Amino acid sequence: MIVVSPSPQLCGLVIDAAGELEAAQRPPLIVAPTLLEGRVFTEILRPRALLVDAGFGADGQRSLAAAAAAAAAPAVLLGECEAPGFDDRVAAERSALVAWLAALEDRVDAAPPADDMLAVVRARYARSLGEKAATLAAHAWSIIDGVASAEAIEEARRLAHRLRGSAGSYGFPAFGEIAAGIDAALLGGLVSPPPSSLRRAAEILALWRRGADPLAEPWPALAVAGGHALAGELAPLAQAAGCRVELARGDGRPAALVRVVERGAGEAEGAAMVVSADEVELRGEGRTFPRDELARRLPELLTRWRRELAS
């Protein structure tokens, strides 16, 4: 399932509602904070369902509905979270979301008719798209990290150029836009520092950085105490490091990679990180950094903590 919204409050509400379900019912959840990410993730992941923020406007809603229709995923419009009175509607919105999610059925993708060669070729292309995304993401990050050779950079440009031309023809226009951005960024050779468009494309494809389907196996959980907005803020950052976010409540907290507790919102003992309005405290390391650096630092911290727990 994919929730497409720039609002941490609304994303956190969906995370909370999904967490209410039994583990066997709980759909894997990806958070897409921008319109382009929502379209790309929908095209590649073919989710069970797509939940769309009404705040995107008519054009944005239509583009996401088209991506959902191509993936045969039901799309549901969520109330714009910044609208007046949203906080008063949270309980009702959450209750409706829990009921809707519980009623979702596992989708069985039917094989295309053997005599429809165009459908067969499109299905084959769709099955390979995750691998193509992983390869393109790996190339982009190696260039950004400054470890790519001239030959590797040219190989990345050729791959992006091919995908730029083919993706839209097979019904994946958003992925084609990402490939086009990488192709344009690398045209004429690499500049230093790499253009922001290359980093933007790499960030959108970050789920495939490790070359695996992000929903193929369970992820460790980042258990968040501190409310919907904090959970929604951390979700897209955590998923880039291969973690899901769950709201922690009472004694039923999920097994977590790390607990993140907003100062003053509850018990912080045992938390690896405490997030307050202005700063983030790293427990056990005795240091803090400004809250506005959280987006830049969290993926690296989560990756390191996962490595330490696995060793």
Side-chain angles (χ1 to χ4, degrees), residues 27-84:
L29 178 66
I30 296 292
V31 172
T34 71
L35 194 63
L36 182 58
E37 281 172 301
R39 291 169 58 214
V40 172
F41 294 168
T42 300
E43 287 179 359
I44 298 180
L45 293 177
R46 299 182 62 79
R48 288 170 58 186
L50 185 70
L51 289 84
V52 179
D53 191 332
F56 279 116
D59 289 343
Q61 292 170 28
R62 277 194 293 270
S63 70
L64 288 168
V76 170
L77 196 64
L78 300 177
E80 184 179 0
C81 91
E82 304 302 333

Side-chain angles (χ1 to χ4, degrees), residues 61-276:
Q61 292 170 28
R62 277 194 293 270
S63 70
L64 288 168
V76 170
L77 196 64
L78 300 177
E80 184 179 0
C81 91
E82 304 302 333
F86 177 82
D87 288 343
D88 296 333
R89 301 198 313 271
V90 163
E93 293 266 7
R94 181 180 179 280
S95 177
L97 278 169
V98 170
W100 185 80
L101 293 172
L104 278 179
E105 297 180 356
D106 285 333
R107 188 184 67 197
V108 178
D109 290 324
D115 58 352
D116 187 344
M117 290 308 299
L118 181 58
V120 170
V121 171
R122 282 178 173 166
R124 187 180 302 130
Y125 188 93
R127 286 194 296 270
S128 69
L129 203 52
E131 182 181 349
K132 291 182 173 71
T135 301
L136 195 55
H139 280 314
W141 282 111
S142 67
I143 293 169
I144 291 168
D145 293 339
V147 297
S149 65
E151 292 78 11
I153 294 171
E154 179 56 25
E155 180 183 348
R157 194 202 65 77
R158 285 197 299 267
L159 173 60
H161 188 76
R162 288 198 304 271
L163 293 172
R164 175 181 190 168
S166 65
S169 301
Y170 286 106
F172 301 92
F175 187 83
E177 290 175 26
I178 294 295
I182 295 177
D183 183 25
L186 300 180
L187 189 63
L190 185 65
V191 298
S192 183
S196 58
S197 59
L198 181 63
R199 177 171 290 276
R200 173 66 178 143
E203 287 172 348
I204 291 178
L205 296 176
L207 291 177
W208 292 270
R209 186 172 185 177
R210 293 166 305 282
D213 180 344
L215 301 182
E217 58 186 34
W219 291 1
L222 178 66
V224 176
H228 295 114
L230 184 58
E233 175 187 353
L234 294 176
L237 306 176
Q239 71 188 24
C243 302
R244 72 183 188 277
V245 164
E246 294 182 357
L247 279 176
R249 53 174 81 84
D251 294 332
R253 288 175 177 161
L257 169 70
V258 55
R259 289 191 10 247
V260 181
V261 183
E262 193 163 32
R263 185 170 288 136
E267 179 58 52
E269 183 179 356
M273 184 165 63
V274 180
V275 181
S276 66

